Amino acid sequence: DGVEEVFIETEDKIKIQSYFLPNQASDRLLIYFHGNAGNIGHRLGDLIKLHSFGINVLAVGYRGYGKSQGSPSEQGIYLDGKAALEYAVKKLGFSLRNIIIFGRSIGTTVAVSISQNLDLAGLVLVSPLTCGKEQAEAGGLGSIAFVAGDSFNNIGKMDNIKCRLLVIHGTRDRVIPLAMGKAIYN
């Protein structure tokens, strides 16, 4: 089993660089949405580790990063996530009940957005943020945090999560405060 580079086309015709790590012995798929810094190519070590647990892995890049087309935007990365889930079901043949969505940091916003009201195998959130405004305040932008408005509103979508949920957050996280992970969990 190797790493296959695939390009997933979104509904607005943007091609998103992704990696598929197949495991013929598994009917489960983990769809991985990475954090803010870098691109999907920088996550190969994490992807190989996840794959070593005996599961298929589809790691999704975002528009404007790596070899992906387009320019980054909040709505755009949600379209990227939606396209990845559709690709997993329609092209790769996985059922929703066998798909685990995994998001880290800003990737949790994509993971939460596409997981709403779906009967998935599970949702894993690592260092999730509550919303853009609170993240801006935590990052020292308190006086101008209002410009974030209602962006990246994970907390407002959590009531729509129907599948099993695992939240992982470290006490030494210097980017996203532990209190945000606790709020998402609660």
Side-chain angles (χ1 to χ4, degrees):
D1 292 325
V3 177
E4 301 172 17
E5 184 178 44
V6 296
F7 287 85
I8 299 171
E9 189 170 325
T10 64
E11 67 185 53
D12 60 344
K13 307 298 182 207
I14 300 290
K15 290 189 177 151
I16 303 303
Q17 178 190 21
S18 301
Y19 292 121
F20 181 55
L21 290 75
N23 182 325
Q24 301 301 324
S26 177
D27 64 351
R28 297 266 175 165
L29 173 70
L30 182 139
I31 303 177
Y32 180 96
F33 296 102
H34 67 83
N36 186 43
N39 63 61
I40 198 62
H42 299 125
R43 299 339 195 261
L44 280 173
D46 290 345
L47 305 177
I48 291 166
K49 181 67 174 172
L50 289 166
H51 183 252
S52 76
F53 295 124
I55 191 169
N56 296 278
V57 176
L58 177 64
V60 184
Y62 306 123
R63 59 187 61 216
Y65 289 86
K67 297 180 188 175
S68 298
Q69 298 174 337
S71 299
S73 71
E74 179 182 5
Q75 291 310 312
I77 65 172
Y78 295 160
L79 290 176
D80 301 344
K82 180 181 173 189
L85 185 57
E86 289 174 1
Y87 180 87
V89 173
K90 294 177 182 172
K91 300 278 188 192
L92 297 178
F94 290 94
S95 79
L96 287 176
R97 289 179 182 226
N98 285 340
I99 295 175
I100 300 164
I101 305 294
F102 182 109
R104 169 176 246 125
S105 186
I106 195 72
T108 65
T109 66
V110 181
V112 168
S113 180
I114 68 166
S115 297
Q116 295 179 90
N117 300 308
L118 295 180
D119 188 18
L120 299 163
L123 173 62
V124 178
L125 303 176
V126 179
S127 299
L129 59 132
T130 51
C131 64
K133 182 179 177 187
E134 288 183 11
Q135 182 59 35
E137 289 170 352
L141 302 175
S143 62
I144 60 167
F146 70 90
V147 299
D150 197 31
S151 66
F152 300 107
N153 188 2
N154 266 350
I155 200 81
K157 298 172 185 165
M158 291 309 295
D159 283 344
N160 298 326
I161 299 302
K162 308 300 181 203
C163 63
R164 290 180 286 182
L165 173 67
L166 172 62
V167 177
I168 302 169
H169 206 119
T171 57
R172 295 184 183 171
D173 192 324
R174 296 183 186 273
V175 177
I176 300 174
L178 177 62
M180 289 194 192
K182 288 180 176 180
I184 292 292
Y185 175 80
N186 290 332

Short mmCIF file of all heavy atoms in Angstrom, two decimals, residues 83-107:
data_model
loop_
_atom_site.label_atom_id
_atom_site.label_comp_id
_atom_site.label_asym_id
_atom_site.label_seq_id
_atom_site.Cartn_x
_atom_site.Cartn_y
_atom_site.Cartn_z
N ALA A 83 -16.79 18.15 -1.03
CA ALA A 83 -16.35 17.40 -2.21
C ALA A 83 -15.59 16.14 -1.80
O ALA A 83 -15.75 15.08 -2.42
CB ALA A 83 -15.49 18.28 -3.10
N ALA A 84 -14.79 16.24 -0.76
CA ALA A 84 -14.03 15.07 -0.29
C ALA A 84 -14.97 13.98 0.22
O ALA A 84 -14.77 12.80 -0.07
CB ALA A 84 -13.06 15.49 0.81
N LEU A 85 -15.99 14.37 0.97
CA LEU A 85 -16.94 13.38 1.47
C LEU A 85 -17.70 12.73 0.31
O LEU A 85 -17.88 11.51 0.29
CB LEU A 85 -17.91 14.04 2.46
CG LEU A 85 -18.88 13.11 3.17
CD1 LEU A 85 -18.15 12.00 3.93
CD2 LEU A 85 -19.78 13.90 4.12
N GLU A 86 -18.11 13.52 -0.66
CA GLU A 86 -18.79 12.97 -1.83
C GLU A 86 -17.86 12.03 -2.61
O GLU A 86 -18.28 10.97 -3.07
CB GLU A 86 -19.30 14.09 -2.74
CG GLU A 86 -20.48 14.83 -2.15
CD GLU A 86 -20.91 16.03 -2.98
OE1 GLU A 86 -20.32 16.30 -4.05
OE2 GLU A 86 -21.86 16.72 -2.54
N TYR A 87 -16.61 12.40 -2.74
CA TYR A 87 -15.61 11.56 -3.41
C TYR A 87 -15.47 10.22 -2.68
O TYR A 87 -15.41 9.16 -3.31
CB TYR A 87 -14.27 12.30 -3.46
CG TYR A 87 -13.15 11.55 -4.11
CD1 TYR A 87 -12.95 11.62 -5.49
CD2 TYR A 87 -12.25 10.79 -3.36
CE1 TYR A 87 -11.91 10.94 -6.11
CE2 TYR A 87 -11.21 10.10 -3.96
CZ TYR A 87 -11.04 10.18 -5.34
OH TYR A 87 -10.01 9.50 -5.94
N ALA A 88 -15.41 10.27 -1.36
CA ALA A 88 -15.27 9.05 -0.56
C ALA A 88 -16.44 8.09 -0.77
O ALA A 88 -16.25 6.88 -0.84
CB ALA A 88 -15.15 9.42 0.93
N VAL A 89 -17.65 8.65 -0.88
CA VAL A 89 -18.84 7.81 -1.04
C VAL A 89 -19.01 7.38 -2.49
O VAL A 89 -19.16 6.18 -2.78
CB VAL A 89 -20.10 8.57 -0.54
CG1 VAL A 89 -21.36 7.80 -0.86
CG2 VAL A 89 -19.99 8.83 0.97
N LYS A 90 -18.97 8.33 -3.42
CA LYS A 90 -19.29 8.03 -4.82
C LYS A 90 -18.15 7.39 -5.60
O LYS A 90 -18.37 6.50 -6.41
CB LYS A 90 -19.75 9.31 -5.53
CG LYS A 90 -21.07 9.83 -5.00
CD LYS A 90 -21.48 11.12 -5.67
CE LYS A 90 -22.78 11.63 -5.08
NZ LYS A 90 -23.12 12.98 -5.57
N LYS A 91 -16.91 7.84 -5.38
CA LYS A 91 -15.78 7.32 -6.16
C LYS A 91 -15.05 6.17 -5.45
O LYS A 91 -14.64 5.22 -6.10
CB LYS A 91 -14.77 8.43 -6.45
CG LYS A 91 -15.32 9.58 -7.25
CD LYS A 91 -15.33 9.29 -8.72
CE LYS A 91 -15.70 10.56 -9.45
NZ LYS A 91 -16.01 10.37 -10.82
N LEU A 92 -14.90 6.31 -4.13
CA LEU A 92 -14.18 5.27 -3.40
C LEU A 92 -15.10 4.18 -2.87
O LEU A 92 -14.63 3.10 -2.50
CB LEU A 92 -13.37 5.88 -2.25
CG LEU A 92 -12.27 6.86 -2.66
CD1 LEU A 92 -11.58 7.45 -1.42
CD2 LEU A 92 -11.25 6.21 -3.58
N GLY A 93 -16.41 4.45 -2.80
CA GLY A 93 -17.39 3.43 -2.44
C GLY A 93 -17.58 3.16 -0.96
O GLY A 93 -18.11 2.12 -0.58
N PHE A 94 -17.21 4.10 -0.10
CA PHE A 94 -17.41 3.91 1.35
C PHE A 94 -18.80 4.39 1.75
O PHE A 94 -19.30 5.39 1.24
CB PHE A 94 -16.35 4.70 2.15
CG PHE A 94 -14.98 4.11 2.03
CD1 PHE A 94 -14.10 4.59 1.07
CD2 PHE A 94 -14.58 3.08 2.85
CE1 PHE A 94 -12.83 4.04 0.93
CE2 PHE A 94 -13.32 2.52 2.73
CZ PHE A 94 -12.44 3.00 1.76
N SER A 95 -19.41 3.67 2.68
CA SER A 95 -20.70 4.12 3.21
C SER A 95 -20.43 5.13 4.33
O SER A 95 -19.39 5.07 5.00
CB SER A 95 -21.51 2.95 3.74
OG SER A 95 -21.07 2.56 5.02
N LEU A 96 -21.36 6.05 4.51
CA LEU A 96 -21.21 7.06 5.57
C LEU A 96 -20.96 6.42 6.93
O LEU A 96 -20.16 6.93 7.72
CB LEU A 96 -22.45 7.96 5.64
CG LEU A 96 -22.62 8.96 4.50
CD1 LEU A 96 -23.95 9.70 4.65
CD2 LEU A 96 -21.47 9.94 4.44
N ARG A 97 -21.60 5.30 7.19
CA ARG A 97 -21.46 4.64 8.49
C ARG A 97 -20.06 4.07 8.72
O ARG A 97 -19.74 3.65 9.83
CB ARG A 97 -22.49 3.53 8.64
CG ARG A 97 -23.88 4.07 8.81
CD ARG A 97 -24.88 2.96 8.92
NE ARG A 97 -26.20 3.53 9.05
CZ ARG A 97 -27.09 3.12 9.94
NH1 ARG A 97 -26.79 2.15 10.76
NH2 ARG A 97 -28.26 3.69 9.99
N ASN A 98 -19.25 4.03 7.67
CA ASN A 98 -17.88 3.53 7.79
C ASN A 98 -16.84 4.64 7.63
O ASN A 98 -15.66 4.37 7.44
CB ASN A 98 -17.61 2.43 6.76
CG ASN A 98 -18.27 1.12 7.16
OD1 ASN A 98 -18.60 0.91 8.33
ND2 ASN A 98 -18.47 0.26 6.21
N ILE A 99 -17.29 5.89 7.70
CA ILE A 99 -16.39 7.03 7.53
C ILE A 99 -16.23 7.77 8.86
O ILE A 99 -17.21 8.12 9.51
CB ILE A 99 -16.90 7.99 6.44
CG1 ILE A 99 -16.89 7.28 5.07
CG2 ILE A 99 -16.06 9.27 6.40
CD1 ILE A 99 -17.48 8.10 3.94
N ILE A 100 -14.98 8.00 9.20
CA ILE A 100 -14.62 8.82 10.36
C ILE A 100 -14.06 10.13 9.82
O ILE A 100 -13.16 10.12 8.96
CB ILE A 100 -13.55 8.12 11.23
CG1 ILE A 100 -14.08 6.78 11.74
CG2 ILE A 100 -13.09 9.03 12.37
CD1 ILE A 100 -12.99 5.86 12.26
N ILE A 101 -14.56 11.24 10.29
CA ILE A 101 -14.06 12.55 9.90
C ILE A 101 -13.10 13.02 11.00
O ILE A 101 -13.44 12.99 12.18
CB ILE A 101 -15.21 13.57 9.72
CG1 ILE A 101 -16.26 13.06 8.72
CG2 ILE A 101 -14.64 14.92 9.31
CD1 ILE A 101 -15.80 12.93 7.30
N PHE A 102 -11.92 13.45 10.59
CA PHE A 102 -10.87 13.86 11.52
C PHE A 102 -10.43 15.28 11.16
O PHE A 102 -10.02 15.53 10.03
CB PHE A 102 -9.69 12.89 11.38
CG PHE A 102 -8.52 13.14 12.29
CD1 PHE A 102 -8.25 12.28 13.34
CD2 PHE A 102 -7.66 14.21 12.10
CE1 PHE A 102 -7.16 12.49 14.18
CE2 PHE A 102 -6.57 14.43 12.93
CZ PHE A 102 -6.32 13.56 13.98
N GLY A 103 -10.52 16.20 12.11
CA GLY A 103 -10.07 17.57 11.88
C GLY A 103 -9.13 18.02 12.96
O GLY A 103 -9.31 17.69 14.14
N ARG A 104 -8.13 18.78 12.55
CA ARG A 104 -7.15 19.33 13.50
C ARG A 104 -7.12 20.86 13.34
O ARG A 104 -7.06 21.36 12.22
CB ARG A 104 -5.77 18.74 13.21
CG ARG A 104 -4.65 19.41 13.94
CD ARG A 104 -3.32 18.73 13.68
NE ARG A 104 -2.92 18.17 14.95
CZ ARG A 104 -2.61 16.91 15.18
NH1 ARG A 104 -2.64 16.04 14.23
NH2 ARG A 104 -2.26 16.53 16.38
N SER A 105 -7.25 21.59 14.45
CA SER A 105 -7.16 23.05 14.46
C SER A 105 -8.19 23.66 13.50
O SER A 105 -9.38 23.38 13.63
CB SER A 105 -5.72 23.46 14.14
OG SER A 105 -5.53 24.83 14.26
N ILE A 106 -7.75 24.44 12.52
CA ILE A 106 -8.72 25.04 11.57
C ILE A 106 -9.45 23.94 10.79
O ILE A 106 -10.58 24.13 10.35
CB ILE A 106 -8.02 26.06 10.62
CG1 ILE A 106 -9.05 26.94 9.90
CG2 ILE A 106 -7.14 25.36 9.61
CD1 ILE A 106 -9.72 27.96 10.77
N GLY A 107 -8.83 22.79 10.64
CA GLY A 107 -9.48 21.65 9.97
C GLY A 107 -10.70 21.15 10.72
O GLY A 107 -11.56 20.50 10.13
#
